Short mmCIF file of all heavy atoms in Angstrom, two decimals:
data_model
loop_
_atom_site.label_atom_id
_atom_site.label_comp_id
_atom_site.label_asym_id
_atom_site.label_seq_id
_atom_site.Cartn_x
_atom_site.Cartn_y
_atom_site.Cartn_z
N GLU A 78 3.44 26.95 -6.26
CA GLU A 78 2.57 27.53 -5.24
C GLU A 78 1.08 27.30 -5.53
O GLU A 78 0.33 26.96 -4.63
CB GLU A 78 2.86 29.01 -5.05
CG GLU A 78 2.09 29.53 -3.86
CD GLU A 78 2.59 30.86 -3.33
OE1 GLU A 78 3.44 31.47 -3.96
OE2 GLU A 78 2.06 31.26 -2.27
N PRO A 79 0.61 27.48 -6.79
CA PRO A 79 -0.80 27.22 -7.04
C PRO A 79 -1.21 25.81 -6.65
O PRO A 79 -2.27 25.58 -6.07
CB PRO A 79 -0.94 27.40 -8.56
CG PRO A 79 0.25 28.12 -9.02
CD PRO A 79 1.32 27.98 -7.98
N GLU A 80 -0.31 24.85 -6.95
CA GLU A 80 -0.62 23.46 -6.66
C GLU A 80 -0.72 23.24 -5.15
O GLU A 80 -1.63 22.58 -4.65
CB GLU A 80 0.50 22.60 -7.25
CG GLU A 80 0.03 21.31 -7.86
CD GLU A 80 1.22 20.53 -8.45
OE1 GLU A 80 2.29 21.13 -8.70
OE2 GLU A 80 1.06 19.33 -8.64
N ARG A 82 -1.30 25.51 -2.84
CA ARG A 82 -2.46 26.20 -2.24
C ARG A 82 -3.75 25.46 -2.56
O ARG A 82 -4.67 25.42 -1.75
CB ARG A 82 -2.51 27.66 -2.72
CG ARG A 82 -1.50 28.51 -1.99
CD ARG A 82 -1.38 29.90 -2.56
NE ARG A 82 -2.38 30.84 -2.09
CZ ARG A 82 -2.10 32.04 -1.55
NH1 ARG A 82 -0.86 32.43 -1.38
NH2 ARG A 82 -3.05 32.86 -1.19
N MET A 83 -3.82 24.87 -3.74
CA MET A 83 -4.98 24.08 -4.12
C MET A 83 -5.12 22.90 -3.16
O MET A 83 -6.21 22.61 -2.66
CB MET A 83 -4.80 23.59 -5.57
CG MET A 83 -6.02 22.90 -6.13
SD MET A 83 -7.46 23.99 -6.03
CE MET A 83 -8.43 23.36 -7.35
N ARG A 86 -6.47 23.78 0.22
CA ARG A 86 -7.89 24.10 0.39
C ARG A 86 -8.81 22.98 -0.09
O ARG A 86 -10.01 23.15 -0.13
CB ARG A 86 -8.24 25.44 -0.24
CG ARG A 86 -8.07 25.53 -1.71
CD ARG A 86 -8.56 26.92 -2.20
NE ARG A 86 -8.80 26.89 -3.61
CZ ARG A 86 -8.01 27.49 -4.51
NH1 ARG A 86 -6.96 28.16 -4.13
NH2 ARG A 86 -8.28 27.41 -5.79
N ARG A 101 -12.39 32.99 10.13
CA ARG A 101 -12.56 34.41 9.83
C ARG A 101 -13.52 34.95 10.87
O ARG A 101 -14.71 34.65 10.84
CB ARG A 101 -13.15 34.60 8.43
CG ARG A 101 -12.19 34.24 7.36
CD ARG A 101 -12.63 34.71 6.00
NE ARG A 101 -11.78 34.12 5.00
CZ ARG A 101 -10.57 34.57 4.68
NH1 ARG A 101 -10.10 35.65 5.26
NH2 ARG A 101 -9.84 33.97 3.78
N ASN A 103 -14.73 37.82 11.38
CA ASN A 103 -15.74 38.80 10.99
C ASN A 103 -16.71 38.24 9.96
O ASN A 103 -17.41 38.99 9.28
CB ASN A 103 -15.06 40.07 10.45
CG ASN A 103 -14.10 39.76 9.32
OD1 ASN A 103 -13.89 38.58 8.99
ND2 ASN A 103 -13.55 40.78 8.71
N VAL A 104 -16.72 36.91 9.82
CA VAL A 104 -17.65 36.26 8.90
C VAL A 104 -18.51 35.29 9.71
O VAL A 104 -18.02 34.68 10.66
CB VAL A 104 -16.85 35.52 7.79
CG1 VAL A 104 -17.71 34.55 7.03
CG2 VAL A 104 -16.18 36.51 6.84
N SER A 105 -19.78 35.16 9.34
CA SER A 105 -20.69 34.32 10.12
C SER A 105 -20.23 32.86 10.13
O SER A 105 -19.41 32.45 9.31
CB SER A 105 -22.09 34.39 9.51
OG SER A 105 -22.10 33.74 8.25
N ALA A 106 -20.80 32.09 11.07
CA ALA A 106 -20.44 30.67 11.17
C ALA A 106 -20.72 29.97 9.84
O ALA A 106 -19.90 29.19 9.34
CB ALA A 106 -21.24 30.02 12.29
N GLY A 107 -21.87 30.28 9.23
CA GLY A 107 -22.22 29.66 7.95
C GLY A 107 -21.21 30.01 6.87
O GLY A 107 -20.80 29.15 6.08
N GLY A 108 -20.81 31.27 6.83
CA GLY A 108 -19.82 31.71 5.85
C GLY A 108 -18.48 31.04 6.07
O GLY A 108 -17.79 30.66 5.12
N ASN A 109 -18.11 30.85 7.33
CA ASN A 109 -16.87 30.16 7.64
C ASN A 109 -16.87 28.73 7.11
O ASN A 109 -15.89 28.27 6.55
CB ASN A 109 -16.63 30.15 9.15
CG ASN A 109 -15.72 31.29 9.59
OD1 ASN A 109 -14.54 31.30 9.29
ND2 ASN A 109 -16.29 32.27 10.28
N GLY A 111 -18.88 27.61 4.78
CA GLY A 111 -19.10 27.61 3.33
C GLY A 111 -17.88 28.01 2.50
O GLY A 111 -17.82 27.72 1.32
N GLU A 112 -16.91 28.69 3.12
CA GLU A 112 -15.82 29.26 2.32
C GLU A 112 -15.08 28.23 1.47
O GLU A 112 -14.84 28.44 0.29
CB GLU A 112 -14.81 30.00 3.22
CG GLU A 112 -13.68 30.58 2.39
CD GLU A 112 -12.72 31.47 3.17
OE1 GLU A 112 -12.96 31.73 4.35
OE2 GLU A 112 -11.73 31.91 2.55
N MET A 115 -17.15 27.26 -1.49
CA MET A 115 -17.18 28.27 -2.54
C MET A 115 -15.83 28.37 -3.24
O MET A 115 -15.76 28.63 -4.43
CB MET A 115 -17.60 29.62 -1.95
CG MET A 115 -19.07 29.61 -1.51
SD MET A 115 -19.62 31.20 -0.88
CE MET A 115 -19.56 30.92 0.88
N ALA A 116 -14.76 28.12 -2.49
CA ALA A 116 -13.42 28.20 -3.07
C ALA A 116 -13.23 27.13 -4.14
O ALA A 116 -12.44 27.30 -5.05
CB ALA A 116 -12.36 28.05 -1.99
N GLY A 118 -15.76 26.08 -6.01
CA GLY A 118 -16.71 26.27 -7.10
C GLY A 118 -18.19 26.13 -6.77
O GLY A 118 -19.01 26.26 -7.68
N SER A 119 -18.58 25.88 -5.52
CA SER A 119 -20.01 25.81 -5.21
C SER A 119 -20.65 27.18 -5.45
O SER A 119 -20.16 28.19 -4.97
CB SER A 119 -20.24 25.43 -3.75
OG SER A 119 -19.84 24.12 -3.54
N ARG A 120 -21.75 27.21 -6.18
CA ARG A 120 -22.37 28.48 -6.52
C ARG A 120 -23.88 28.46 -6.24
O ARG A 120 -24.61 29.24 -6.81
CB ARG A 120 -22.14 28.82 -8.00
CG ARG A 120 -20.71 29.15 -8.34
CD ARG A 120 -20.25 30.44 -7.70
NE ARG A 120 -18.85 30.71 -7.97
CZ ARG A 120 -17.85 30.39 -7.15
NH1 ARG A 120 -18.09 29.78 -5.99
NH2 ARG A 120 -16.61 30.66 -7.46
N ASN A 121 -24.31 27.52 -5.40
CA ASN A 121 -25.73 27.47 -5.08
C ASN A 121 -25.89 27.79 -3.60
O ASN A 121 -25.46 27.03 -2.73
CB ASN A 121 -26.29 26.09 -5.41
CG ASN A 121 -27.80 26.07 -5.28
OD1 ASN A 121 -28.34 26.29 -4.19
ND2 ASN A 121 -28.49 25.85 -6.39
N TYR A 122 -26.50 28.93 -3.33
CA TYR A 122 -26.61 29.41 -1.95
C TYR A 122 -27.30 28.40 -1.06
O TYR A 122 -26.83 28.09 0.04
CB TYR A 122 -27.36 30.75 -1.93
CG TYR A 122 -27.56 31.32 -0.56
CD1 TYR A 122 -26.53 31.99 0.10
CD2 TYR A 122 -28.78 31.18 0.11
CE1 TYR A 122 -26.70 32.51 1.36
CE2 TYR A 122 -28.97 31.69 1.38
CZ TYR A 122 -27.93 32.35 2.01
OH TYR A 122 -28.11 32.86 3.26
N ALA A 123 -28.42 27.85 -1.53
CA ALA A 123 -29.18 26.92 -0.71
C ALA A 123 -28.37 25.66 -0.38
O ALA A 123 -28.39 25.17 0.74
CB ALA A 123 -30.49 26.55 -1.40
N ASP A 124 -27.62 25.16 -1.38
CA ASP A 124 -26.78 23.98 -1.15
C ASP A 124 -25.71 24.28 -0.09
O ASP A 124 -25.47 23.48 0.81
CB ASP A 124 -26.03 23.59 -2.44
CG ASP A 124 -26.93 22.84 -3.39
OD1 ASP A 124 -28.11 22.62 -3.02
OD2 ASP A 124 -26.46 22.49 -4.49
N ILE A 125 -25.05 25.44 -0.28
CA ILE A 125 -23.96 25.80 0.63
C ILE A 125 -24.49 25.92 2.05
O ILE A 125 -23.93 25.40 3.01
CB ILE A 125 -23.31 27.12 0.18
CG1 ILE A 125 -22.62 26.93 -1.17
CG2 ILE A 125 -22.32 27.64 1.22
CD1 ILE A 125 -22.31 28.22 -1.90
N ARG A 126 -25.64 26.56 2.16
CA ARG A 126 -26.24 26.76 3.46
C ARG A 126 -26.67 25.43 4.06
O ARG A 126 -26.49 25.17 5.26
CB ARG A 126 -27.43 27.71 3.33
CG ARG A 126 -27.74 28.38 4.63
CD ARG A 126 -28.62 29.58 4.41
NE ARG A 126 -29.15 30.06 5.67
CZ ARG A 126 -28.51 30.90 6.47
NH1 ARG A 126 -27.33 31.35 6.13
NH2 ARG A 126 -29.05 31.28 7.60
N ALA A 129 -23.72 23.73 5.37
CA ALA A 129 -23.25 24.41 6.58
C ALA A 129 -24.10 23.99 7.78
O ALA A 129 -23.58 23.68 8.85
CB ALA A 129 -23.28 25.92 6.39
N ILE A 143 -26.24 29.94 13.00
CA ILE A 143 -25.53 29.91 11.70
C ILE A 143 -25.15 31.31 11.20
O ILE A 143 -24.13 31.48 10.55
CB ILE A 143 -26.37 29.15 10.64
CG1 ILE A 143 -25.56 28.95 9.35
CG2 ILE A 143 -27.68 29.87 10.34
CD1 ILE A 143 -26.17 27.99 8.37
N ASP A 144 -25.96 32.32 11.54
CA ASP A 144 -25.65 33.66 11.05
C ASP A 144 -24.89 34.51 12.07
O ASP A 144 -24.66 35.69 11.85
CB ASP A 144 -26.94 34.38 10.62
CG ASP A 144 -27.55 33.72 9.40
OD1 ASP A 144 -26.78 33.16 8.60
OD2 ASP A 144 -28.79 33.74 9.25
N ARG A 146 -21.55 35.56 14.28
CA ARG A 146 -20.10 35.55 14.08
C ARG A 146 -19.42 34.75 15.19
O ARG A 146 -19.92 34.71 16.32
CB ARG A 146 -19.57 36.97 14.09
CG ARG A 146 -20.01 37.73 12.86
CD ARG A 146 -19.42 39.11 12.83
NE ARG A 146 -19.74 39.72 11.56
CZ ARG A 146 -19.20 40.84 11.10
NH1 ARG A 146 -18.30 41.47 11.82
NH2 ARG A 146 -19.54 41.32 9.93
N LEU C 133 -11.78 43.00 1.15
CA LEU C 133 -11.73 41.70 1.82
C LEU C 133 -10.31 41.42 2.28
O LEU C 133 -10.09 40.77 3.28
CB LEU C 133 -12.18 40.60 0.85
CG LEU C 133 -13.59 40.80 0.26
CD1 LEU C 133 -13.82 39.84 -0.89
CD2 LEU C 133 -14.63 40.57 1.35
N GLU C 134 -9.34 41.91 1.52
CA GLU C 134 -7.92 41.66 1.83
C GLU C 134 -7.15 42.95 1.52
O GLU C 134 -6.97 43.28 0.37
CB GLU C 134 -7.42 40.49 0.97
CG GLU C 134 -5.93 40.29 0.99
CD GLU C 134 -5.35 40.13 2.39
OE1 GLU C 134 -5.71 39.17 3.07
OE2 GLU C 134 -4.55 41.01 2.80
N GLU C 139 -0.95 40.21 -1.34
CA GLU C 139 -1.82 39.05 -1.20
C GLU C 139 -2.88 39.03 -2.31
O GLU C 139 -3.13 37.98 -2.90
CB GLU C 139 -2.48 39.07 0.18
CG GLU C 139 -3.23 37.81 0.56
CD GLU C 139 -2.39 36.54 0.50
OE1 GLU C 139 -1.16 36.62 0.68
OE2 GLU C 139 -2.97 35.46 0.24
N LYS C 142 -1.60 37.79 -5.58
CA LYS C 142 -1.45 36.35 -5.54
C LYS C 142 -2.81 35.66 -5.74
O LYS C 142 -2.92 34.69 -6.46
CB LYS C 142 -0.85 35.96 -4.18
CG LYS C 142 -0.02 34.72 -4.22
CD LYS C 142 0.59 34.45 -2.85
CE LYS C 142 2.01 34.95 -2.75
NZ LYS C 142 2.57 34.74 -1.39
N MET C 143 -3.83 36.22 -5.09
CA MET C 143 -5.16 35.62 -5.22
C MET C 143 -5.63 35.64 -6.68
O MET C 143 -6.21 34.68 -7.17
CB MET C 143 -6.17 36.35 -4.32
CG MET C 143 -5.93 36.08 -2.83
SD MET C 143 -6.70 37.32 -1.76
CE MET C 143 -8.37 36.70 -1.67
N ALA C 145 -3.62 35.75 -9.33
CA ALA C 145 -2.75 34.86 -10.10
C ALA C 145 -3.21 33.41 -9.95
O ALA C 145 -3.19 32.64 -10.90
CB ALA C 145 -1.30 35.02 -9.64
N LEU C 146 -3.64 33.05 -8.73
CA LEU C 146 -4.01 31.66 -8.46
C LEU C 146 -5.51 31.43 -8.61
O LEU C 146 -6.00 30.36 -8.31
CB LEU C 146 -3.55 31.28 -7.05
CG LEU C 146 -2.06 31.47 -6.77
CD1 LEU C 146 -1.73 31.14 -5.34
CD2 LEU C 146 -1.23 30.62 -7.72
N GLU C 147 -6.22 32.46 -9.05
CA GLU C 147 -7.68 32.36 -9.22
C GLU C 147 -8.36 31.96 -7.93
O GLU C 147 -9.28 31.16 -7.93
CB GLU C 147 -8.02 31.34 -10.31
CG GLU C 147 -8.49 31.98 -11.60
CD GLU C 147 -8.91 30.95 -12.63
OE1 GLU C 147 -8.02 30.23 -13.10
OE2 GLU C 147 -10.11 30.86 -12.95
N GLU C 148 -7.87 32.49 -6.80
CA GLU C 148 -8.48 32.16 -5.52
C GLU C 148 -9.56 33.19 -5.21
O GLU C 148 -9.31 34.21 -4.58
CB GLU C 148 -7.42 32.17 -4.41
CG GLU C 148 -6.69 30.86 -4.34
CD GLU C 148 -5.69 30.79 -3.20
OE1 GLU C 148 -5.67 31.69 -2.35
OE2 GLU C 148 -4.92 29.82 -3.19
N TYR C 149 -10.75 32.92 -5.67
CA TYR C 149 -11.81 33.90 -5.53
C TYR C 149 -12.90 33.47 -4.54
O TYR C 149 -13.98 34.06 -4.53
CB TYR C 149 -12.44 34.18 -6.91
CG TYR C 149 -11.49 34.90 -7.85
CD1 TYR C 149 -11.33 34.46 -9.16
CD2 TYR C 149 -10.77 36.00 -7.43
CE1 TYR C 149 -10.47 35.12 -10.04
CE2 TYR C 149 -9.90 36.67 -8.30
CZ TYR C 149 -9.77 36.22 -9.60
OH TYR C 149 -8.93 36.88 -10.45
N GLY C 150 -12.63 32.43 -3.75
CA GLY C 150 -13.63 31.95 -2.80
C GLY C 150 -14.12 33.06 -1.88
O GLY C 150 -15.31 33.17 -1.59
N LEU C 151 -13.19 33.90 -1.45
CA LEU C 151 -13.52 34.95 -0.49
C LEU C 151 -14.56 35.93 -1.03
O LEU C 151 -15.40 36.44 -0.30
CB LEU C 151 -12.22 35.70 -0.15
CG LEU C 151 -12.20 36.52 1.12
CD1 LEU C 151 -12.62 35.67 2.31
CD2 LEU C 151 -10.81 37.09 1.35
N MET C 152 -14.49 36.17 -2.34
CA MET C 152 -15.44 37.07 -2.99
C MET C 152 -16.87 36.54 -2.81
O MET C 152 -17.79 37.29 -2.52
CB MET C 152 -15.09 37.10 -4.47
CG MET C 152 -15.70 38.22 -5.22
SD MET C 152 -14.67 39.69 -5.10
CE MET C 152 -15.92 40.80 -4.56
N HIS C 153 -17.02 35.24 -2.97
CA HIS C 153 -18.34 34.66 -2.80
C HIS C 153 -18.75 34.60 -1.33
O HIS C 153 -19.93 34.64 -1.03
CB HIS C 153 -18.43 33.28 -3.47
CG HIS C 153 -18.94 33.36 -4.88
ND1 HIS C 153 -18.11 33.57 -5.95
CD2 HIS C 153 -20.20 33.35 -5.37
CE1 HIS C 153 -18.84 33.66 -7.04
NE2 HIS C 153 -20.12 33.52 -6.72
N VAL C 154 -17.76 34.51 -0.44
CA VAL C 154 -18.09 34.56 0.99
C VAL C 154 -18.79 35.90 1.29
O VAL C 154 -19.77 35.96 2.01
CB VAL C 154 -16.84 34.40 1.87
CG1 VAL C 154 -17.17 34.65 3.34
CG2 VAL C 154 -16.24 33.01 1.69
N LYS C 155 -18.28 36.96 0.68
CA LYS C 155 -18.88 38.28 0.88
C LYS C 155 -20.33 38.28 0.40
O LYS C 155 -21.23 38.77 1.08
CB LYS C 155 -18.03 39.31 0.14
CG LYS C 155 -18.74 40.55 -0.32
CD LYS C 155 -18.71 41.69 0.63
CE LYS C 155 -19.33 42.99 0.33
NZ LYS C 155 -20.66 43.13 -0.11
N LEU C 156 -20.57 37.70 -0.79
CA LEU C 156 -21.94 37.66 -1.32
C LEU C 156 -22.83 36.76 -0.44
O LEU C 156 -23.99 37.07 -0.19
CB LEU C 156 -21.95 37.16 -2.76
CG LEU C 156 -21.11 37.97 -3.76
CD1 LEU C 156 -21.22 37.39 -5.16
CD2 LEU C 156 -21.53 39.43 -3.78
N TYR C 157 -22.25 35.65 0.03
CA TYR C 157 -22.98 34.75 0.93
C TYR C 157 -23.43 35.51 2.17
O TYR C 157 -24.58 35.42 2.61
CB TYR C 157 -22.09 33.56 1.32
CG TYR C 157 -22.69 32.72 2.43
CD1 TYR C 157 -23.47 31.60 2.15
CD2 TYR C 157 -22.52 33.09 3.78
CE1 TYR C 157 -24.05 30.87 3.18
CE2 TYR C 157 -23.10 32.37 4.80
CZ TYR C 157 -23.86 31.26 4.50
OH TYR C 157 -24.44 30.54 5.52
N GLU C 158 -22.49 36.29 2.74
CA GLU C 158 -22.80 37.04 3.96
C GLU C 158 -23.93 38.04 3.70
O GLU C 158 -24.80 38.24 4.54
CB GLU C 158 -21.55 37.77 4.46
CG GLU C 158 -20.48 36.85 4.98
CD GLU C 158 -20.82 36.23 6.33
OE1 GLU C 158 -20.78 36.94 7.36
OE2 GLU C 158 -21.15 35.03 6.36
N ASP C 159 -23.89 38.68 2.54
CA ASP C 159 -24.95 39.61 2.16
C ASP C 159 -26.32 38.94 2.22
O ASP C 159 -27.27 39.45 2.80
CB ASP C 159 -24.75 40.09 0.71
CG ASP C 159 -23.93 41.37 0.64
OD1 ASP C 159 -23.47 41.82 1.70
OD2 ASP C 159 -23.79 41.90 -0.47
N ILE C 160 -26.39 37.79 1.57
CA ILE C 160 -27.69 37.11 1.49
C ILE C 160 -28.13 36.65 2.88
O ILE C 160 -29.29 36.81 3.26
CB ILE C 160 -27.64 35.91 0.52
CG1 ILE C 160 -27.22 36.38 -0.87
CG2 ILE C 160 -28.99 35.21 0.45
CD1 ILE C 160 -26.98 35.27 -1.85
N SER C 161 -27.17 36.10 3.65
CA SER C 161 -27.58 35.57 4.95
C SER C 161 -28.04 36.72 5.86
O SER C 161 -28.87 36.54 6.73
CB SER C 161 -26.45 34.77 5.59
OG SER C 161 -25.39 35.61 5.98
N LYS C 162 -27.49 37.91 5.64
CA LYS C 162 -27.85 39.03 6.50
C LYS C 162 -29.09 39.77 5.98
O LYS C 162 -29.98 40.12 6.74
CB LYS C 162 -26.66 40.00 6.58
CG LYS C 162 -26.68 40.86 7.82
CD LYS C 162 -25.47 41.79 7.86
CE LYS C 162 -24.16 41.07 8.04
NZ LYS C 162 -23.00 41.92 7.73
N GLY C 164 -30.94 38.88 2.98
CA GLY C 164 -31.86 38.16 2.12
C GLY C 164 -31.58 38.38 0.65
O GLY C 164 -32.26 37.85 -0.22
N LYS C 175 -16.86 38.84 -13.39
CA LYS C 175 -15.80 37.92 -13.82
C LYS C 175 -15.67 38.06 -15.33
O LYS C 175 -16.68 38.03 -16.05
CB LYS C 175 -16.12 36.49 -13.43
CG LYS C 175 -14.90 35.60 -13.51
CD LYS C 175 -15.10 34.34 -12.68
CE LYS C 175 -13.76 33.68 -12.41
NZ LYS C 175 -13.92 32.43 -11.70
N LEU C 223 -21.02 38.55 -10.64
CA LEU C 223 -20.96 37.41 -9.73
C LEU C 223 -22.30 37.23 -9.01
O LEU C 223 -22.93 38.20 -8.62
CB LEU C 223 -19.87 37.62 -8.68
CG LEU C 223 -18.44 37.75 -9.21
CD1 LEU C 223 -17.48 37.92 -8.03
CD2 LEU C 223 -18.05 36.54 -10.03
N ASP C 224 -22.70 35.98 -8.84
CA ASP C 224 -23.95 35.73 -8.11
C ASP C 224 -24.01 34.26 -7.71
O ASP C 224 -23.04 33.52 -7.86
CB ASP C 224 -25.17 36.12 -8.98
CG ASP C 224 -25.24 35.33 -10.28
OD1 ASP C 224 -24.38 34.45 -10.51
OD2 ASP C 224 -26.16 35.59 -11.08
N PHE C 225 -25.13 33.85 -7.18
CA PHE C 225 -25.39 32.44 -6.90
C PHE C 225 -26.49 31.97 -7.85
O PHE C 225 -27.34 32.77 -8.26
CB PHE C 225 -25.86 32.25 -5.46
CG PHE C 225 -24.76 32.42 -4.45
CD1 PHE C 225 -24.62 33.60 -3.74
CD2 PHE C 225 -23.85 31.39 -4.22
CE1 PHE C 225 -23.60 33.75 -2.82
CE2 PHE C 225 -22.83 31.54 -3.28
CZ PHE C 225 -22.70 32.71 -2.59
N GLU C 226 -26.49 30.66 -8.16
CA GLU C 226 -27.51 30.11 -9.06
C GLU C 226 -28.91 30.46 -8.57
O GLU C 226 -29.78 30.82 -9.36
CB GLU C 226 -27.39 28.59 -9.13
CG GLU C 226 -26.13 28.10 -9.82
CD GLU C 226 -25.74 26.68 -9.38
OE1 GLU C 226 -26.55 26.00 -8.69
OE2 GLU C 226 -24.62 26.28 -9.72
N ASP C 227 -29.10 30.36 -7.25
CA ASP C 227 -30.43 30.59 -6.72
C ASP C 227 -30.63 32.01 -6.21
O ASP C 227 -31.67 32.33 -5.63
CB ASP C 227 -30.75 29.55 -5.62
CG ASP C 227 -29.61 29.38 -4.63
OD1 ASP C 227 -28.50 29.88 -4.90
OD2 ASP C 227 -29.82 28.74 -3.59
N HIS C 228 -29.63 32.87 -6.38
CA HIS C 228 -29.79 34.30 -6.11
C HIS C 228 -29.15 35.06 -7.26
O HIS C 228 -28.09 35.66 -7.10
CB HIS C 228 -29.15 34.70 -4.78
CG HIS C 228 -29.96 34.32 -3.59
ND1 HIS C 228 -30.88 35.16 -3.01
CD2 HIS C 228 -30.02 33.16 -2.90
CE1 HIS C 228 -31.45 34.54 -2.00
NE2 HIS C 228 -30.95 33.33 -1.90
#
Side-chain angles (χ1 to χ4, degrees):
Chain A
E78 188 164 8
E80 218 179 341
R82 283 172 83 127
M83 187 56 153
R86 63 176 198 253
R101 290 193 190 279
N103 55 356
V104 165
S105 70
N109 264 291
E112 180 173 356
M115 291 183 259
S119 292
R120 291 293 176 264
N121 189 298
Y122 178 80
D124 281 359
I125 294 163
R126 203 163 168 86
I143 188 168
D144 293 330
R146 290 184 173 192
Chain C
L133 302 168
E134 169 55 62
E139 190 56 27
K142 209 177 263 177
M143 289 161 83
L146 304 177
E147 253 184 293
E148 276 184 9
Y149 292 133
L151 199 54
M152 195 86 232
H153 267 88
V154 172
K155 152 92 179 52
L156 301 182
Y157 170 93
E158 292 286 287
D159 268 4
I160 302 173
S161 69
K162 204 179 293 165
K175 196 160 197 184
L223 298 181
D224 60 3
F225 287 100
E226 292 156 10
D227 46 349
H228 283 268

